[in-house]
Structures are given as structure tokens and as C-alpha cells.
Amino acid sequence: MIPVAEFKQFTEQQPAFKVLKPWWDVLAEYLTVAMLMIGVFGCTLQVTQDKIICLPSHEPRENLSDAPCQQLLPRGVSEHMGDLRGLSGLKNNLDLQQYSFINQLCYETALHWYAKYFPYLVVIHTLIFMVCTSFWFKFPGTSSKIEHFISILGKCFDSPWTTRALSEVSGENHKGPATGRATAIVVATAGTGSGKASESEKEKVLVEAEKVVTEPPAVTLLDKKEGEQAKALFEKVKKFRVHVEEGDILYSMYIRQMVLKVCKFFAILVYNLVYVEKINFLVACRVETSEVTGYASFCCNHTKAHLFSKLAFCYISFVCVYGITCLYTLYWLFHRPLKEYSFRSVREETGMNDIPDVKNDFAFMLHLIDQYDSLYSKRFAVFLSEVSESRLKQLNLNHEWTPEKLRQKLQRNARGRLELALCMLPGLPDTVFELSEMEALRLEAICDISFPPGLSQLVNLQELSLLHSPARLPFSLQIFLRDRLKVICVKFEELREVPLWVFGLRGLEELYLEGLFPPELARAATLESLRELKQLKVLSLRSNAGKVPASVTDVAGHLQRLSLHNDGARLLALNSLKKLVVLRELELVACGLERIPHAIFSLGALQELDLKDNHLRSIEEILSFQHCRKLVTLRLWHNQIAYVPEHVRKLRGLEQLYLSHNKLETLPTQLGLCSGLRLLDVSHNGLRSLPPEVGLLQNLQHLALSYNALETLPDELFFCRKLRTLLLGYNHLSHLSPHVAVLRALSRLELKGNQLEVLPEELGDCTGLKKSGLLVEDTLYEGLPAEVREKMEEE
């Protein structure tokens, strides 16, 4: 007997594949097993027992008909037996070898091929059915997708995040009905009492009702490892969806194998119905074996005919059921749009309205899953929802960034506020809003921020920085921040990405914007209206504007500091600056200016002006600064200025003058008439000498002459008795005058990079100069007398 288990390799599949088997595939499997048992049983009988038994015919040759057994067929079995009893005494004169020879010869020549090979045909056809059913599980182009899908599906089904997400949604959906039910309980109880219920009973009912309302749904907690696994699942589902939705090979393969099975069904059914009657109990056999056996006609008995005929009818019945199942499957395949799958019912049930519909092979597999258990697709849909993914990211963030860890990152910023800086996170942790002591929040490279209601807990928040971090702010939180927020810094690739709610913070005092205008809008430089910013005092704009934005005039009445950094783009129209009547500080950095704009001279309240990194060659307009009577700081550094005009003497009130990184070779003698000058920076130029009139600057405290070509210093320089900082590094000085001793307030002296051979010992008379403030080569310092060095090294 051949065990059925030997054929297991033809249908062996992973147990997990059962989720892709609808009921008709399961029924077909049982039918094929039954048909295979029929075939194997018939084959076993065919091999182990006699196939046919033949007896010679004793009728004379001239009386023989074409069918020696024909005379036996019309009569009943009892007559047959009678005839056989009548012939029981006949001697055939044949031995066992001759009988075996006749049996085999008649089996091959007289028995119909269908009767001979029926069990083998059953086995072959059944194996073909099995192969057709499982081929798409084995074919390389489809099996890889199926295995990947089954693997992801199982993990999604068992993931704790799936349970948590569905439980949260279930809790939200049932919150409303629970509230209604609680109210009904209270009303019903009050009604049944008819006003006679005691106060204690009413209170008891109310407490029970509150329990019904407020009892939260049981939600499982995720640890960090489970959260990371769920995060990886989201990425796998995304990549798998992109890969599978590209084609429909699974759908096509399933249809092809189903069409093949239907065709096979019709072929089997037709030829079996035609040839099943060829299985006869008695078979007439005429062979020319008279020379060997003495007989030419034989009457043979097909010993398995009766059993085979019954098995054939059973087999045909199974094939019919199998065929009807295949026909139904074809109807299902072509009647429904299986290349599209809608999660509409899941969206309605779970409330996750962002679950997308899928197509092609992805949709087809989900349709098959629904035939097995629709719960699989519902739990799988959780990992297609971006809302669900964002919730998971938020949960993982909260696990990673605990309040204790965030408090360790709190530091004082340049403005003295307690600041929390977060950079390149996948989101904003909810735990941030537990730091009520935080005064400043800096968010950099954090995508798609949506501030939650918890922001209202930050009652001390005064400063917010959004650097490449787009943020959404609900209207209720806009009202909360409207009067609290004092400083906001926003940086994006383009200014149109700046959130509009920024321009509605009416309590804002400082606004820093950085981003480019689109090329087609750079010339117009249109900025959102600033009318709501009634308390704005500082406005900084770093962009590529072609002119000063017109909206700047919206805050002209109270703006005190304006900074325009243009990254080298030329700023053309500056006339609107005239309206900034209370402006105190103005920065026009890298604006491509070749001359000092005349609009600046109308700013009567201006105190500080910075024209850094422009293309200024001439500053003849410096005379007009006498109209800016309050101007105390003038920064003209990092330009191409070749000389300073003589009428610089008019700037008597100037206290700080920055002319470093230019092309100056001389300084005018009239510079000494700027009697109020406290700081003069002319480093990084080409100065070869200083005018003696520099000694007239009696209030000078800081003088920077580094990186020039000075060979000597005028003795008049040391008349500046208030000098605290004197930077002479990297010049061509070969001698330092002993008059340096009169600079008793000197605390910082740079001499490194010169041609000095020795330092004057009079440096010891500079009581404010210590070793840490003397920047010079070690060899020169060691050349000072020991008592001078000891004096400098004293605390």
C-alpha cells in the first residue's frame, strides 16, 4: 500500500499561508485529498492483485462469434453460474505458465485503456489539480511577495501597538454613548423614585453614573522595545505597499491557475462520462495463440471492474463538486473589482480617516484575507494610517525624552532666559510641556510640528525659535501666546513657509525672520502685514529682498532696531527707511551698497549704524551724519574703503568707529578731532603710519591696529591715558617706546607677530597689565626682568 503521505511534497505549504485560502480553496483541498485516496487505493489494488483472469472457449472455431463471451452477457448471474457448472468438468490442458501468458496478453490487447489506467489517471489528474492550486505559493515571482506579506501581516496582527491604537479609537467612539447612558440612569432612577428617593440614594446613583462616564478604556502600555518594533513595521508596510502595488502578478497568476483548473475539470468530466462504461466485468479476448495454447478465443474476467466502476462514479462526483467550486471562484474573480480595495468600513469603524485605499496585488491579497477573517485587514490597516504612525512616533518620543532628561538640557541663552534646545527629532515630545519653568524653546530641523493643548502649561514661555521646523498652532493656543510671547525666531528656505500665526502675536517685541523670497517675488519683497505687532521693537530680516519690505512701515511708530541681511543681493529701494522716525539701530549687512544711502541721514534718533560686508569704496557722505546727532556707533567694516575723508571731524559725538577689513593706507589728521571716540578699530588694513593727532583722542579706551604694516608708533599715541586695550599684533614694529609706562589703565596689549627683539621694562609700570593680558612671544616675555614678570604674574 502506498501511503498518501508520500504525496505531501506536492502540496506542502507553510501553515501561515492558510490566511490566503478562502473557503473554496479549503474545500478544493479536501476534495483533492479524497480524489487522491481513490487513485492511490485503485493503484494499490491494481499492483497487488490479479488484474484479469481468462479461460479458453471450447466452441468450435466455425461456431465462434466475434465475442466469445457474448452469449454470457445477456443472461443473469445464476445462468452464468449454471453454464459454469456445466463446464466444470472440461479439461483445458493448459498449465499455469500458459494461463499467466494468456492473462497478460489479453490484459494488454483486449481490455480497454480506460479500464486499465483508470486509477493512474485519477492520481495524475489529482496531482495536476494540487499543483495548480499551490503553484502561486511556489513560483518565485509570487512566493516572495506572499511570504513577505504573510510575515508582515502576522507581526501587524500580533503587535501591541495595533491593540493600543484600536482600543484608543474604541474608547473615543464609545465616550459619547456612555455619557448618554449615564444620563439615562440618573433620569430613570429619579423617575422611579417619584420624588421619594433619599438624597443618599441620588448621590449613589450620580457616583455610579460618573464612573460609567469617566472610566477610561483599558489600553495596553508599550515599552520602548515594542515601540521600536512597531516603528519598524510602519516602514516595512510602506516599502511593501510601494513594491506590491506596482503590478498584478499575483492576481494574474491566481486567475490563470483557476482557468487551467476549470479547463481541466471539463476535460476530465467529458472523457470520464464517455469512457466509464468501458469498465466491464467480462471481456472477450481473441488472440492467435493456438500454436502455443491450442486456443484462439478466451473469455476473461476483469476482477476490479465492479470496484473500479463504483470508484469512477465517486471520482466523477468529486470532480463535479470541484468544478462547481472552480466556476464559483471564476465568477468571484471577474464579478468583483479585486484590484481595488477600500478601507471605508474600517475608516468608519475606527475613525482613522486617513487610511488609504490600495490597488493591484495588495488589494487582491486583502480581498483573500477578508474571506478568511476580516479582522486581519482591520488590524493591518492600523499600519497604513499616518495618524496612527504619528501617534506611535509621539509615544516613542515620550519614552525617549522623559521630563528628567529634558531638564538636563535646560540652559541660559544669550538673553538670559532658561532655554530648551531640541534638534533633528522626528517630532516634539509631549513631555516638553511639563517643564513649566522653561522660558525659551528652540526647535531646529523638526518636521511637521503640531502644538498640542499642553502648550498652555508653559506659562513662563517668552521666546520661541523655529529653525526649519514648520509648526501648526490651533487658534486657542494663538490666543494663549498672543500676549505672552516676546521673542520669536523663524528660519526657513523660503519666507512663504513662515506660519501666518506669527504675524498675529500682538505682544511680540522681537521678530527674527530668515528665508529667501522666490526669484519672481524678490524684487517686490512682499512681506505679510505687521500691523498686529503693536509692541514690536526689533525686526531682523535675512533674505534676498530687492527693497525694504513695505510692511516695515506698519511698525514705524515703535520699531527701534532694524536689521536687513541680504546675503549679497543688491538692495535698491531704501526710501521707506525715512518713515522709521524712532529707529535707534540699523543694520544693512551684505546688501550690495556702493554708497551710504541718503535715507539714513533722515533718521534723527539713530544711535548705531552697521554697513558691514557691502561694496563701499568712498564714504564722502559721512559729512551728512552730523544730522544724526545721536549717532554714537558707526560700523563700516568689511568693505573696500580706501580713505577716510577729512570731514570725519564733524562727528564729534561718535564713540565707536569700526573701519577694519578695508583698504586704508593712511588716516586723516582730522580724526583726532573726534574727541568723543572711545573705540577705534582699523585692523586688517594697509596702514604704514599713524598721524600724531591720534594723541588728541583723550577718551580712547580701545584701539585695534592689528594686521597692518606699521613700522613705528608716534609718541603722541601714549597721550591717550585711558587706553585699556591696545592691539598691535602682526605689524612691522621693531621697537616699543618706554612711554608705554604712562598707560596705567592698560589691561590688554597685543604685540605678537612683530619684529621686536626686546620688551621695555617700563611695562612693569602698567599696573593694570597682567600676564594673561599680554599677548607676545614667550621668548620676549622671558626677556623681561624677573621683578617685572613677578609683578605681572601676581593675582
Side-chain angles (χ1 to χ4, degrees):
M1 179 72 72
I2 302 176
V4 179
E6 294 295 329
F7 298 92
K8 184 180 180 181
Q9 57 179 327
F10 293 101
T11 58
E12 185 175 4
Q13 301 162 11
Q14 297 182 17
F17 283 2
K18 64 182 181 180
V19 297
L20 287 178
K21 291 181 180 180
W23 64 266
W24 52 81
D25 279 350
V26 176
L27 177 60
E29 278 192 4
Y30 284 112
L31 291 173
T32 51
V33 170
M35 291 186 287
L36 185 62
M37 292 180 66
I38 290 175
V40 171
F41 179 63
C43 289
T44 304
L45 294 177
Q46 191 92 322
V47 171
T48 58
Q49 299 183 12
D50 292 334
K51 304 173 184 177
I52 193 171
I53 299 175
C54 297
L55 294 175
S57 175
H58 290 268
E59 296 291 331
R61 180 180 295 271
E62 59 275 6
N63 294 335
L64 285 174
S65 61
D66 293 336
C69 299
Q70 190 69 27
Q71 66 275 19
L72 298 177
L73 294 177
R75 291 176 290 177
V77 177
S78 58
E79 296 180 4
H80 288 226
M81 298 301 296
D83 291 341
L84 291 175
R85 283 195 299 270
L87 297 175
S88 60
L90 294 179
K91 300 294 185 179
N92 295 325
N93 298 321
L94 296 176
D95 58 17
L96 183 61
Q97 296 295 329
Q98 289 175 321
Y99 276 117
S100 297
F101 173 75
I102 295 301
N103 290 343
Q104 293 296 328
L105 189 60
C106 288
Y107 178 80
E108 296 296 333
T109 58
L111 194 64
H112 192 272
W113 63 268
Y114 182 79
K116 287 191 293 185
Y117 303 118
F118 165 72
Y120 304 110
L121 292 174
V122 171
V123 172
I124 291 173
H125 293 322
T126 305
L127 291 179
I128 292 175
F129 279 139
M130 290 181 173
V131 170
C132 289
T133 300
S134 61
F135 183 73
W136 74 320
F137 293 122
K138 305 292 184 181
F139 184 68
T142 56
S143 62
S144 60
K145 292 183 179 180
I146 293 174
E147 290 174 3
H148 196 183
F149 176 72
I150 295 299
S151 173
I152 294 176
L153 183 69
K155 293 177 181 178
C156 291
F157 189 87
D158 297 332
S159 173
W161 172 248
T162 310
T163 305
R164 180 187 176 99
L166 294 177
S167 299
E168 287 179 351
V169 172
S170 176
E172 293 173 1
N173 292 343
H174 288 80
K175 188 175 180 180
T179 305
R181 184 171 53 140
T183 306
I185 293 173
V186 175
V187 173
T189 307
T192 53
S194 303
K196 298 179 181 179
S198 65
E199 291 296 328
S200 59
E201 292 176 350
K202 291 182 179 180
E203 289 178 1
K204 183 178 179 181
V205 172
L206 286 172
V207 170
E208 292 178 356
E210 287 179 2
K211 289 182 179 180
V212 174
V213 175
T214 59
E215 185 177 359
V219 179
T220 58
L221 296 177
L222 264 69
D223 58 24
K224 185 176 181 180
K225 181 180 179 181
E226 292 171 339
E228 291 298 326
Q229 291 174 348
K231 181 181 177 181
L233 268 180
F234 272 104
E235 293 300 322
K236 287 183 179 180
V237 170
K238 284 182 181 178
K239 294 179 180 179
F240 178 75
R241 179 188 173 193
V242 172
H243 175 61
V244 175
E245 281 192 325
E246 291 177 352
D248 59 351
I249 184 173
L250 291 173
Y251 177 74
S252 302
M253 184 67 70
Y254 193 83
I255 287 182
R256 289 171 186 170
Q257 68 184 31
M258 194 58 61
V259 170
L260 181 61
K261 288 197 289 186
V262 170
C263 295
K264 185 74 175 174
F265 155 68
F266 281 115
I268 293 173
L269 183 64
V270 169
Y271 91 80
N272 272 278
L273 290 177
V274 172
Y275 292 114
V276 69
E277 61 182 14
K278 299 297 183 179
I279 302 178
N280 295 316
F281 185 75
L282 294 177
V283 180
C285 176
R286 180 183 293 278
V287 290
E288 295 298 329
T289 58
S290 56
E291 296 180 356
V292 179
T293 62
Y295 299 96
S297 299
F298 300 88
C299 183
C300 301
N301 172 22
H302 183 198
T303 58
K304 309 298 183 302
H306 181 72
L307 180 59
F308 279 7
S309 62
K310 299 298 183 290
L311 291 177
F313 284 113
C314 289
Y315 174 66
I316 292 173
S317 301
F318 286 139
V319 168
C320 289
V321 177
Y322 190 93
I324 292 172
T325 304
C326 293
L327 290 174
Y328 172 79
T329 306
L330 278 183
Y331 170 78
W332 181 78
L333 287 171
F334 292 110
H335 180 68
R336 300 182 61 180
L338 299 181
K339 294 176 71 174
E340 298 176 358
Y341 188 91
S342 174
F343 285 101
R344 184 178 63 181
S345 59
V346 180
R347 289 193 291 264
E348 293 175 354
E349 182 178 352
T350 63
M352 299 179 186
N353 296 322
D354 66 321
I355 300 176
D357 295 336
V358 295
K359 60 183 180 179
N360 289 337
D361 283 342
F362 202 177
F364 178 62
M365 286 190 288
L366 288 174
H367 280 293
L368 291 179
I369 290 293
D370 282 347
Q371 296 297 320
Y372 181 80
D373 189 350
S374 60
L375 182 61
Y376 275 90
S377 59
K378 177 182 176 181
R379 296 178 71 89
F380 187 78
V382 171
F383 289 88
L384 292 172
S385 169
E386 293 184 1
V387 172
S388 175
E389 184 177 10
S390 63
R391 288 178 181 173
L392 176 65
K393 289 180 179 178
Q394 195 66 41
L395 188 66
N396 289 339
L397 273 175
N398 297 340
H399 277 305
E400 181 179 0
W401 294 93
T402 60
E404 293 74 19
K405 184 177 180 180
L406 291 173
R407 281 193 172 89
Q408 295 176 0
K409 292 178 66 66
L410 287 174
Q411 294 180 349
R412 294 285 175 182
N413 62 10
R415 297 181 181 86
R417 294 190 176 101
L418 200 59
E419 182 180 70
L420 173 65
L422 299 176
C423 181
M424 299 183 69
L425 296 183
L428 185 61
D430 291 332
T431 48
V432 168
F433 308 108
E434 297 181 22
L435 309 182
S436 57
E437 68 273 23
M438 182 172 57
E439 298 173 322
L441 178 60
R442 179 185 176 90
L443 305 176
E444 184 173 359
I446 301 178
C447 298
D448 198 20
I449 299 172
S450 182
F451 286 110
L455 180 64
S456 59
Q457 300 177 28
L458 304 181
V459 292
N460 295 314
L461 186 67
Q462 299 180 20
E463 183 177 338
L464 177 63
S465 299
L466 299 174
L467 311 180
H468 300 288
S469 303
R472 294 188 299 273
L473 189 68
F475 181 72
S476 58
L477 294 179
Q478 293 181 32
I479 296 175
F480 172 77
L481 292 179
R482 187 168 57 189
D483 298 319
R484 284 181 170 83
L485 213 58
K486 303 301 179 184
V487 181
I488 187 166
C489 305
V490 183
K491 180 179 179 180
F492 288 99
E493 290 294 330
E494 294 187 358
L495 282 175
R496 58 186 172 187
E497 299 177 41
V498 176
L500 295 179
W501 54 264
V502 170
F503 302 99
L505 302 174
R506 64 188 184 190
L508 207 61
E509 296 180 358
E510 299 181 25
L511 174 60
Y512 299 86
L513 299 176
E514 183 174 345
L516 299 177
F517 288 104
E520 65 276 8
L521 301 178
R523 189 175 185 84
T526 303
L527 194 64
E528 292 294 330
S529 174
L530 304 176
R531 290 189 181 91
E532 293 293 327
L533 308 182
K534 302 296 185 182
Q535 301 181 31
L536 191 67
K537 296 178 181 179
V538 178
L539 175 61
S540 175
L541 176 61
R542 183 165 185 167
S543 66
N544 58 339
K547 66 175 185 179
V548 178
S551 57
V552 172
T553 59
D554 295 339
V555 291
H558 44 83
L559 190 65
Q560 298 180 8
R561 183 175 183 270
L562 175 62
S563 175
L564 298 178
H565 196 305
N566 234 30
D567 286 329
R570 190 171 182 182
L571 192 64
L572 299 174
L574 294 164
N575 290 332
S576 57
L577 292 178
K578 297 179 180 180
K579 300 180 180 180
L580 305 179
V581 292
V582 298
L583 194 67
R584 296 180 182 179
E585 300 178 31
L586 175 62
E587 293 182 5
L588 299 176
V589 181
C591 293
L593 301 177
E594 297 179 357
R595 311 281 293 192
I596 299 176
H598 289 282
I600 295 176
F601 307 131
S602 302
L603 304 176
L606 191 65
Q607 297 178 8
E608 296 184 19
L609 175 63
D610 189 350
L611 298 178
K612 180 182 177 181
D613 203 10
N614 282 284
H615 304 312
L616 299 178
R617 291 182 174 84
S618 172
I619 55 174
E620 289 290 343
E621 303 87 349
I622 200 171
L623 178 62
S624 301
F625 279 123
Q626 62 183 335
H627 300 296
C628 302
R629 299 184 182 278
K630 296 183 179 181
L631 186 66
V632 294
T633 301
L634 180 59
R635 295 183 176 91
L636 300 174
W637 48 0
H638 296 271
N639 279 282
Q640 302 173 21
I641 301 170
Y643 70 97
V644 178
E646 295 179 356
H647 40 258
V648 68
R649 66 181 185 275
K650 298 291 185 181
L651 305 181
R652 299 289 179 89
L654 199 62
E655 296 181 2
Q656 298 182 15
L657 178 60
Y658 295 83
L659 290 168
S660 64
H661 296 85
N662 278 286
K663 298 181 178 180
L664 299 175
E665 294 183 359
T666 61
L667 291 177
T669 58
Q670 290 78 4
L671 185 62
L673 300 177
C674 297
S675 57
L677 210 57
R678 297 176 181 272
L679 182 148
L680 177 61
D681 186 356
V682 288
S683 60
H684 293 274
N685 278 283
L687 297 176
R688 296 182 180 275
S689 63
L690 286 179
E693 287 76 9
V694 73
L696 300 175
L697 302 175
Q698 293 297 306
N699 292 314
L700 195 62
Q701 298 179 11
H702 181 105
L703 178 59
L705 297 168
S706 304
Y707 294 94
N708 279 285
L710 298 174
E711 296 179 357
T712 60
L713 297 174
D715 290 339
E716 291 79 2
L717 174 62
F718 301 102
F719 293 162
C720 303
R721 304 294 178 88
K722 295 183 180 180
L723 268 178
R724 295 181 179 179
T725 302
L726 179 58
L727 306 180
L728 300 171
Y730 302 96
N731 279 279
H732 301 159
L733 299 174
S734 58
H735 173 71
L736 182 62
S737 173
H739 293 107
V740 70
V742 302
L743 303 179
R744 302 297 179 89
L746 194 65
S747 60
R748 181 176 176 83
L749 175 62
E750 181 187 21
L751 296 171
K752 187 177 288 189
N754 283 282
Q755 301 173 8
L756 299 172
E757 295 181 359
V758 64
L759 295 178
E761 61 182 27
E762 287 78 5
L763 283 175
D765 296 331
C766 299
T767 57
L769 187 62
K770 301 298 180 182
K771 181 182 178 181
S772 59
L774 179 61
L775 303 180
V776 69
E777 286 81 0
D778 292 339
T779 55
L780 290 175
Y781 179 76
E782 296 297 331
L784 287 171
E787 61 272 12
V788 174
R789 284 185 278 122
E790 290 176 3
K791 189 175 181 179
M792 287 187 175
E793 292 173 2
E794 290 179 357
E795 291 295 335

